[in-house]
Amino acid sequence: MLPTPKKYFLTAAAAEGESGLTAFDNALLAGGIGNINLLRVSSILPPGAQHDPELKIPPGSLVPTAYGYIVSKEPGQLISAAVGIGFSADTFGVIMEFSGLCGKEEAEKRILAMLEEAFRTRQMELVRTEVRAVEHVVKKIGCALAAVPLWY
């Protein structure tokens, strides 16, 4: 059985690269998570998890992470990515991810709408939210990424 993560942070970044993969890698580096191994997880923040924006994760660690990203090879195209966490008063939180062909403001709106729906569906009260988003105008090959790494 895997341990339950106790800490988290939100990050959003964008970068260019010579290929789609290096654009993604460069966005990870810009977001402070380029030297860890992301294990993509679905979107529940464990009860009691503490926000730690200065969290340092050892290089090479296997890190449960909820993330969304988009890569584009279309110069001039506007891309964005966003993550958000919805918090209940006394139990777990819900994480939502988004990426698309729009600006940061639209990405943030979509995240908030998804969080509201997730809480409504669960019949839980949404007491607050945290959102991080980024937009990027592609020069050659660009990536926008937003993530919530979870740690122990």
Side-chain angles (χ1 to χ4, degrees):
M1 176 188 272
L2 295 174
T4 301
K6 302 288 185 212
K7 297 181 179 188
Y8 72 93
F9 65 96
L10 297 91
T11 186
E16 291 282 319
E18 294 298 317
S19 70
L21 185 56
T22 58
F24 176 69
D25 186 51
N26 290 337
L28 290 171
L29 288 167
I33 56 174
N35 295 321
I36 59 176
N37 294 298
L38 306 182
L39 298 175
R40 197 167 204 176
V41 296
S42 60
S43 305
I44 299 299
L45 183 72
Q50 298 295 311
H51 182 238
D52 186 350
E54 303 302 318
L55 184 62
K56 300 294 183 223
I57 300 172
S61 295
L62 301 175
V63 182
T65 308
Y67 65 94
Y69 73 96
I70 184 171
V71 174
S72 173
K73 297 179 180 180
E74 182 104 12
Q77 191 166 57
L78 179 63
I79 59 176
S80 68
V83 289
I85 304 174
F87 296 89
S88 65
D90 58 359
T91 186
F92 63 88
V94 177
I95 305 167
M96 289 290 165
E97 314 87 33
F98 171 81
S99 61
L101 303 175
C102 61
K104 179 179 175 179
E105 186 175 312
E106 178 65 23
E108 290 170 341
K109 284 182 189 177
R110 291 190 185 197
I111 287 291
L112 291 172
M114 287 189 286
L115 288 170
E116 289 169 0
E117 179 183 355
F119 273 75
R120 192 170 50 251
T121 301
R122 287 172 173 80
Q123 298 179 351
M124 292 169 52
E125 181 184 1
L126 176 62
V127 297
R128 71 181 176 90
T129 60
E130 289 182 33
V131 177
R132 295 292 181 282
V134 65
E135 67 181 23
H136 179 72
V137 177
V138 177
K139 295 179 180 96
K140 183 177 177 184
I141 301 174
C143 177
L145 164 99
V148 180
L150 306 169
W151 194 238
Y152 308 101

